[in-house]
Every structure is written in structure tokens, then in C-alpha cells.
Amino acid sequence: MMRLLLGDTELMAAARRIHGGEAVADCVARAAWTVIAEPGDAVAGALIGALGAEEALSVAAGGRSRSPFTDDTGEVGFRALREAQARWRPRLQQEAVRSAFLGALEIGARLVIPGDPQWPDALDDLGPHAPSALWVRGRVELLTASPRVSMVGARASSGYGEQVAAELAGDLASTGAVVVSGGAYGIDGAVHRAALGVGGATIAFLAGGVDRAYPVGHQRLLQQISEHGAVVSEPPCGTAPTKWRFLARNRLIAALGQATVVVEAGWRSGSLNTAGHAATLGRPLGAVPGPVTSASSAGCHRLLREYDAQCVTSAAEVRELWGQLDGVPTAGALEDPNRTRVLDALTTRSVLSVDEIARRSGLSAERVRSLLGLLHLEGDVDADGTGWRRAPRLRGG
């Protein structure tokens, strides 16, 4: 499969223009995975993690008879791979991958893959459920900008919910936060509009391709987001949104935000799915209270009661979720023991790799990357092309 893709001159020319990096083969392979695998496919994620995107693609095409997930004859790993190959095989088409690239080229979309400077490491916390690549229309640099707050809520929102959502999102966006949501009717639309209205940054994750405005009534809004913010999808151009893809999309919204806030939600709202992902990932979770008689706030009250969500009523309280109050880190953020462990592993003299910092601190490499990003924003660590070191002078020192 890879030989056919790499030999397709039209496809390769489009890939070079859309990605712009040197890892063109990896780019093509990861784009192919967005075509053949549904979002969140854990077998695909594990396969790519174990073998790399290119070799994993040859396995998907039937190039290996044994599962790479185990060293023994583990029937479970083999069965999972065999079932996955049956899922992927109907989509293993060179023309489909070419269409994905040409469709993205037509609308000016970019492909961002792990290892790119614009790749949001926060998504790696999803493990095998992390996306293999992201199709982005707009400002790709927003994916790694900070702070980022995910704000979601009911599609059938009330006037109260939309007012609160707009006030929170506008305040946060005007002070530099990137507002992340799903582009839907109701609360999602309110937070996107508020962020744009104050000249702030916002990201919309779609369940279909970035070339398909959904819902149709938000076509103009999504166009504005692509011009001033970023519209992002895991599936390639031309992909229609489905119920499953909406649910899978929610994990990306939760993972990208440094905190998630549910503004308004019914008892069984899809926003609770996003909140569940945030809780599973260990992201701070906030919920806006509403009238006890309002069905539109029943989900938020459920989060406060059953999921230990924090009650938030202002932008300042949202900032507290990720350890920021009026631009100053709170005591809770400074006292995070894992941050202290990373700082203790560093010196001002030596530049260390992430793996070495992980070894010294006793934390996972993924957790170290996340903490280094926060510490770098606060001026506590410096980075160059080879690694990280402690800043000569800590903030407030």
C-alpha cells in the first residue's frame, strides 16, 4: 500500500504542500490512517504506536500474520488484529487517500502529525485512542497555544445558558485564552461567537471533514472560525458526521483543553460525554449551576454532585481550574508535587532530553512533556533544539 501511495506523484505533490514538513512518508501514512480507521480506533492506535504509521499500514493491508501486541501466541491480540483488518480492508484504497489530500489542498487545509511543532502533545494523553493526525483549516498554531479552555453545553440551550456562555468565553478569550468547542448549535455556537466578538482565538472540532460545514446553519460561523481561529477534524475531507464520530470528537475537545467547563446540559446531554473524558484524563472540570427547576441545567447539577466538578460562575473561577488567577499562578499550581519533581530533575547547566527527565523524576515521558510545556510558559524552564534545562532564575526568585 505504501509503495503505491509514495509512487502517486499527484498525491505526493499535494502532501508536500499540505504538510510542509520533511517526514512526507509518515505524513502520507498517517493521512491514510485517517481514511481507513474510525476516530478513536484503539487497535489502530496501538499498532501505530508499536510499529510506526508506515509499517502499521502494511500490517493493515495484511502484510503480517501475527499480532505485534504480544511476544507469545496471545490469541486475544491476534483476534483483535484480525477483526480490525476486516474493518480496514474495504477502505484501503489509494484513490480515497488521494481524494483526502486533494480535498484539503482545494480548501487550504493543513495536515498536522505527531512530531510537528504544531502538534498538541495534550492529545497524546489519550494513549491508543489518540488521533493519528489532524486536518486543520485556519491557524494551526492555536493547537499549542496556552491557556486553552474547552467549553461545551446543550444544543437546545436556554437564554440564560447562552448569556452565561458568552460572558465566560468573551472574558476568557479577551485575556488570551483559546476557547475550544464543537461548533454545534446552542452553547457551542455562543462561545465561538463570543470569542470571535472580542477578537480572541477559538477552535472548533468537527465530527466530519473540515470541508463540510455542520450544522449547515453554522456555515458562516465556521467560515469565520477558519479565518480567525481554527477548524479541526480527525476524519479527512469529504467525511460525513455520524453519531459515533460526534462522540469520538468529544474526547479531543476534552483532551485539548487544560480545563473543561460545561455551561448548560440536560440529564443525558452529550456534553456529559465530554465531561466524562475530561474526568478520565484528569483534566479540571467545571460546571455552571442553573435554576433547580431547569431541565437544561440538570446535567450540570449532576456533574457537581456525582463527578466532583467545580462550581464556576465567573471567568476568574474558570481560570482557577488550571491554576491561573488574574494571570498569576495560584498556590495550588505552584505546589503540584509533579511539577516540583520535574524541576528537581533539571539543572541550569545541563540540557536534558524528555526521556532523561522522566528517568530522573520517576514520571512518564508523556506527563513530563505536559509539565514542561506549562513550566516553559511560566518561565521556569528553557528549551532549545536538543532538550530542556532549568531557567537561570525562577519567576519570583
Side-chain angles (χ1 to χ4, degrees):
M1 182 66 178
M2 276 303 297
R3 190 179 303 112
L4 291 174
L5 295 176
L6 295 178
D8 188 326
T9 55
E10 185 180 26
L11 184 156
M12 292 300 291
R16 289 188 179 92
R17 291 181 63 184
I18 288 168
H19 180 240
E22 297 181 357
V24 180
D26 189 39
C27 162
V28 170
R30 288 181 175 277
W33 275 109
T34 70
V35 172
I36 70 172
E38 280 295 308
D41 189 322
V43 179
L47 197 65
I48 294 170
L51 303 176
E54 295 177 60
E55 187 177 351
L57 196 60
S58 69
V59 174
R64 181 186 292 210
S65 60
R66 291 279 304 280
S67 167
F69 307 147
T70 177
D71 292 328
D72 55 27
T73 58
E75 191 62 24
V76 173
F78 178 72
R79 187 183 304 117
L81 179 59
R82 184 172 54 195
E83 292 174 354
Q85 286 172 322
R87 293 197 303 270
W88 301 330
R89 195 169 294 117
R91 297 182 178 180
L92 277 167
Q93 300 174 2
Q94 179 181 350
E95 182 57 38
V97 181
R98 182 194 295 118
S99 296
F101 277 111
L102 295 180
L105 188 62
E106 184 176 349
I107 63 170
R110 292 279 305 277
L111 184 69
V112 181
I113 64 175
D116 288 346
Q118 302 90 357
W119 179 259
D121 291 339
L123 298 187
D124 297 339
D125 291 346
L126 292 165
H129 299 284
S132 58
L134 293 173
W135 300 91
V136 185
R137 194 175 182 183
R139 298 170 57 192
V140 294
E141 72 274 10
L142 294 182
L143 292 172
T144 54
S146 188
R148 300 179 303 273
V149 58
S150 298
M151 300 185 67
V152 295
R155 287 174 171 80
S157 54
S158 67
Y160 160 81
E162 292 187 15
Q163 178 183 350
V164 173
E167 289 178 356
L168 292 178
D171 191 330
L172 292 165
S174 67
T175 54
V178 179
V179 178
V180 183
S181 197
Y185 289 134
I187 298 301
D188 289 15
V191 300
H192 288 309
R193 290 190 183 93
L196 293 172
V198 297
T202 187
I203 296 173
F205 275 101
L206 303 186
V210 293
D211 61 331
R212 299 181 66 131
Y214 189 91
V216 176
H218 274 179
Q219 184 170 3
R220 181 171 181 179
L221 174 61
L222 292 171
Q223 179 63 35
Q224 291 175 327
I225 296 173
S226 70
E227 293 171 357
H228 303 286
V231 175
V232 185
S233 74
E234 191 174 354
C237 289
T239 304
T242 63
K243 183 177 181 180
W244 163 251
R245 290 170 188 154
F246 277 111
L247 292 174
R249 177 275 311 268
N250 290 345
R251 81 193 196 285
L252 303 183
I253 296 175
L256 188 65
Q258 291 165 270
T260 293
V261 176
V262 181
V263 179
E264 192 173 49
W267 184 261
R268 297 175 62 84
S269 171
S271 300
L272 302 187
N273 176 259
T274 306
H277 284 298
T280 300
L281 291 165
R283 302 289 194 268
L285 178 63
V288 175
V292 296
T293 55
S294 173
S296 298
S297 290
C300 289
H301 299 156
R302 183 181 179 188
L303 292 174
L304 293 169
R305 186 175 63 254
E306 300 178 12
Y307 289 81
D308 293 325
Q310 297 295 308
C311 176
V312 293
T313 61
S314 67
E317 290 176 351
V318 175
R319 293 187 190 99
E320 289 180 17
L321 290 177
W322 67 76
Q324 177 185 334
L325 183 59
D326 295 329
V328 179
T330 66
L334 294 175
E335 293 169 1
D336 182 346
N338 288 339
R339 295 158 71 99
T340 303
R341 288 166 65 176
V342 170
L343 286 173
D344 286 345
L346 294 165
T347 70
T348 58
R349 298 179 301 278
S350 303
V351 174
L352 302 178
S353 67
V354 169
D355 289 340
E356 177 61 18
I357 299 169
R359 187 189 69 79
R360 293 188 179 193
S361 65
L363 299 171
S364 69
E366 292 77 10
R367 182 62 175 146
V368 167
R369 289 190 188 94
S370 175
L371 290 167
L372 285 171
L374 293 174
L375 291 168
H376 188 246
L377 286 169
E378 295 169 9
D380 292 336
V381 299
D382 292 329
D384 60 26
T386 60
W388 299 81
R389 65 180 177 183
R390 196 163 180 163
R393 181 180 178 182
L394 293 178
R395 182 176 292 180

